[in-house]
Structures are given as structure tokens and as C-alpha cells.
Amino acid sequence: MSSRVNVVKVDFLNNPAKFTDGFNVEIIFEAQEDLPGDLEWELTYVGTPSSSEKDQVLETILIGPIREGRHKFQLEAEAPKPELIPEDDVIGVTALLLTCKYNDQQFLKIGYFVSIDYTTEELRENRPEEIDFAQLERCVKEEDVRVHYNIIKWIEEEPIEEEPIEENQNQEDENMEKENQENEAVEVTSKMDVEDVVAEEPEPQSVEE
């Protein structure tokens, strides 16, 4: 089944910024239908590519219930804690992950590359022995984004009681079910191939938290 929530646009409003500054992210998404539950949005800073144990969840926010249509909100998060990042991985390139769940099921993950370096050429060429975090700048590479949608169960479907049917009718229903599954697979594939999520769209309505 295709996603019932699609991201239209993500803007990092303070980018580039000092490493010690927080994140201010504006998110526009579209719901294909009303959703009674909450969408759980999460922003995660990858501390090191060698282990997810160093990942830092910077902020989690719940938005819901959701009405059908287009919505906009801002996610504000603190900067990552320097003491939790391995020293060898502070400067260079890392990643930032924006994810969304519904009913504890992750259906969306957006990944961004983030470059970290000193703000002046002198410091870049002659790095101090001890990292000066106040002089570091981060830059989220918004033009290089990875978007992935997962298939989840959006609603709890009630069980359907099967009624006795004739053998020829049973075969006909099996063929029809196989055809429907093939059509659904084509639809899901086309949805998961979509990576352009920054197209210009009409002004959405803000979501009340």
C-alpha cells in the first residue's frame, strides 16, 4: 500500500550555522486522508558512521490527529552534545536523519550529509590540538538528499469471515487476488522511487501542535 503521508518540502532555516547552534527545520507534508493517530517526527545526528550507538536523537515531536490535506510545522532541536561524539569524527562529513512514524511504525526516512569544519582558513589549515567547538561550522547539504518510504499498516483491518464458495468461483477469486497484488506492487515501487521532495507547492496551512 502506498504512503498516506508524503513530504513535500524540508527547509533548514538556519543553514549553515555554528556547530553549537540548534536546528530549526520547516517541514511541509501532505496527508492523503484523515489520520486519527499522531505522526512522530524525529531528528537524529549521526555521531560516527562506525556505530549507531553514537547517534543522538536531537528532538522528537508528535503531530496529530491529522486532517486530509497539506500541513506545515517547524521542528526545533538542540545541537548535538560534543562529548558524545568520538573526537576523530567531529570534523569532516557525517549525516542527519529525519524520520517519521505512525502507530510505532517507521514509514519515512530522509538522510542528509552534513559537513563540519572550522570557520576560518587559518584554523582549517592549522587545527588546534584541542577541538574548539565554538569555532566550528556545520552545513547541511540540502541539495543531496536521500528519501526512503517503507510500507506499513496504516489501519487495523477487521478480520473478514470467509463464506463457502464453489471450486470454480474459488479459482476465479484467486486469479483476481493475484492480479490485484501485482498492481499494488507496481504502485508501491513507483512511490518508493520518488526522491524529489522539494518541488514548489502552494502555501499550506500551519499545523497546530
Side-chain angles (χ1 to χ4, degrees), residues 131-202:
I131 298 176
D132 187 353
F133 287 93
Q135 298 298 322
L136 290 179
E137 180 183 71
R138 71 161 187 265
C139 182
V140 180
K141 305 299 183 180
E142 298 183 70
E143 72 281 359
D144 193 2
V145 59
R146 303 290 187 272
V147 181
H148 181 72
Y149 286 91
N150 294 321
I151 300 174
I152 68 169
K153 191 174 183 179
W154 291 92
I155 59 174
E156 293 293 334
E157 299 177 351
E158 296 180 356
I160 300 176
E161 295 183 3
E162 296 184 358
E163 296 180 359
I165 53 177
E166 298 296 333
E167 183 177 353
N168 60 344
Q169 181 65 40
N170 183 41
Q171 182 64 41
E172 181 179 348
D173 289 347
E174 288 180 357
N175 293 337
M176 183 177 297
E177 180 180 358
K178 182 178 180 181
E179 181 179 354
N180 291 338
Q181 290 175 347
E182 291 175 351
N183 292 337
E184 182 176 350
V186 171
E187 180 182 1
V188 169
T189 301
S190 65
K191 287 291 184 182
M192 294 180 66
D193 286 343
V194 175
E195 290 200 6
D196 182 10
V197 295
V198 293
E200 291 295 331
E201 299 289 350

Side-chain angles (χ1 to χ4, degrees), residues 86-171:
E87 186 173 339
D88 292 340
D89 294 313
V90 172
I91 298 176
V93 178
T94 185
L96 193 68
L97 304 176
L98 177 64
T99 60
C100 193
K101 296 179 181 178
Y102 186 73
N103 289 339
D104 292 324
Q105 305 167 93
Q106 182 177 295
F107 67 89
L108 169 67
K109 180 169 70 174
I110 306 177
Y112 299 89
F113 290 110
V114 183
S115 64
I116 310 293
D117 210 340
Y118 284 105
T119 56
T120 66
E121 185 176 352
E122 180 180 357
L123 288 174
R124 287 193 292 268
E125 294 180 353
N126 302 284
R127 294 179 179 176
E129 293 184 5
E130 185 175 345
I131 298 176
D132 187 353
F133 287 93
Q135 298 298 322
L136 290 179
E137 180 183 71
R138 71 161 187 265
C139 182
V140 180
K141 305 299 183 180
E142 298 183 70
E143 72 281 359
D144 193 2
V145 59
R146 303 290 187 272
V147 181
H148 181 72
Y149 286 91
N150 294 321
I151 300 174
I152 68 169
K153 191 174 183 179
W154 291 92
I155 59 174
E156 293 293 334
E157 299 177 351
E158 296 180 356
I160 300 176
E161 295 183 3
E162 296 184 358
E163 296 180 359
I165 53 177
E166 298 296 333
E167 183 177 353
N168 60 344
Q169 181 65 40
N170 183 41
Q171 182 64 41

